[in-house]
Amino acid sequence: MLWEGFKLMGVGMATVMLFLLVMIACIEWVRHLNRDFTALEQQKQQERRKSSKTLTKSEALPTVPVEVFAAAITTFESDKNTS
């Protein structure tokens, strides 16, 4: 009985080890296939960082005043209370 348990444990552990090795091989294969895309993506990100640093205050995104949010919330709550 004990011997069968050890055999089952060995087969199970070998199966898990084989599965993990196959998974690692697949991950490395995908990394190898995507290496050019990754380099291009890193270059694009660096260019975006450089361009975002050169933005002036006049090019800054406009902000919505707090009063607009307050009015929208008040309207929503009044509509919700009346229905």
Side-chain angles (χ1 to χ4, degrees):
M1 181 87 176
L2 188 62
W3 179 244
E4 285 82 18
F6 284 134
K7 286 195 297 188
L8 182 62
M9 182 185 68
V11 169
M13 296 290 266
T15 303
V16 169
M17 190 63 131
L18 181 65
F19 174 75
L20 291 175
L21 288 173
V22 169
M23 183 184 287
I24 290 170
C26 288
I27 290 171
E28 291 296 319
W29 179 64
V30 169
R31 186 176 65 99
H32 177 72
L33 291 177
N34 288 331
R35 69 183 183 274
D36 294 331
F37 178 75
T38 305
L40 290 173
E41 193 65 28
Q42 286 177 348
Q43 288 176 352
K44 288 179 185 177
Q45 287 177 355
Q46 288 175 352
E47 290 172 4
R48 278 190 230 131
R49 285 188 196 123
K50 288 179 184 177
S51 66
S52 68
K53 288 180 182 177
T54 59
L55 285 177
T56 61
K57 290 187 178 185
S58 63
E59 295 175 353
L61 298 174
T63 58
V64 179
V66 176
E67 293 83 10
V68 174
F69 284 116
I73 292 170
T74 305
T75 305
F76 174 75
E77 289 178 351
S78 66
D79 288 344
K80 187 172 70 171
N81 290 336
T82 58
S83 58

